[in-house]
Amino acid sequence: MLLLLFHIGNNLCAIDTSKIVEILPMVILRRIQLDRNSVVGVFNYRGRMIPVIDLCHLISDQPSQICYRTRIILVQSTSAARPIGLIAARVTETLKISIEDAETAEFITESPELGKLLLTEQGMVQLIHWEHLVSDVLAALPNEAKEGKECKTRLNSF
């Protein structure tokens, strides 16, 4: 299993790379008005409007610190027609673990969003089940954002 490592605060976390479409540098996002602060905004990705969700805000109720290594992880959710973006701080590397290592990892919480806690050479790594985290957020998005409608308008440059 290949995992993408990132940080939430000082904690090292990881998501499975099987549904990652692309890892992008931070871009300027268009703010949208929603009740949820975890939806940071949307951006144009190859002619599609992509909603962007802050993983740090969902997990720790604190916004991600935007820095040089902050990335937008484009993932394909089963509950959305188009990819969604996940902001993660200090995206540094990947980690390949064996299935046996994953099976011997321990659960420290019964929360479906937080997976097993792995002991690795990098330290303790908390697996994150991002689809569980974003399901409520995706349900609150307007249909256009969920469906990833093509961007038909262009902004005029000044």
Side-chain angles (χ1 to χ4, degrees), residues 107-114:
F107 284 103
I108 58 169
T109 180
E110 293 183 16
S111 170
E113 296 89 9
L114 300 178

Side-chain angles (χ1 to χ4, degrees), residues 37-114:
N37 291 331
S38 50
V39 178
V40 180
V42 295
F43 74 104
N44 180 353
Y45 176 76
R46 299 182 182 173
R48 305 256 184 224
M49 182 174 58
I50 303 295
V52 179
I53 299 168
D54 188 343
L55 280 179
C56 187
H57 189 269
L58 281 176
I59 294 170
S60 69
D61 207 28
Q62 298 290 321
S64 287
Q65 296 295 319
I66 305 300
C67 64
Y68 178 70
R69 295 179 290 174
T70 302
R71 299 286 184 262
I72 296 175
I73 305 166
L74 205 60
V75 291
Q76 184 61 58
S77 172
T78 55
S79 58
R82 298 288 181 236
I84 59 171
L86 304 174
I87 292 180
R90 296 179 10 205
V91 176
T92 56
E93 59 188 309
T94 57
L95 173 67
K96 189 169 187 171
I97 63 166
S98 66
I99 297 299
E100 294 82 27
D101 289 340
E103 288 174 356
T104 60
E106 296 184 31
F107 284 103
I108 58 169
T109 180
E110 293 183 16
S111 170
E113 296 89 9
L114 300 178

Side-chain angles (χ1 to χ4, degrees), residues 129-140:
H129 298 293
W130 61 268
E131 285 204 79
H132 289 289
L133 276 172
V134 303
S135 60
D136 290 342
V137 177
L138 285 177

Side-chain angles (χ1 to χ4, degrees), residues 32-37 39 137 140-142:
I32 55 175
Q33 297 297 323
L34 288 177
D35 291 337
R36 299 191 172 261
N37 291 331
V39 178
V137 177
L141 286 174

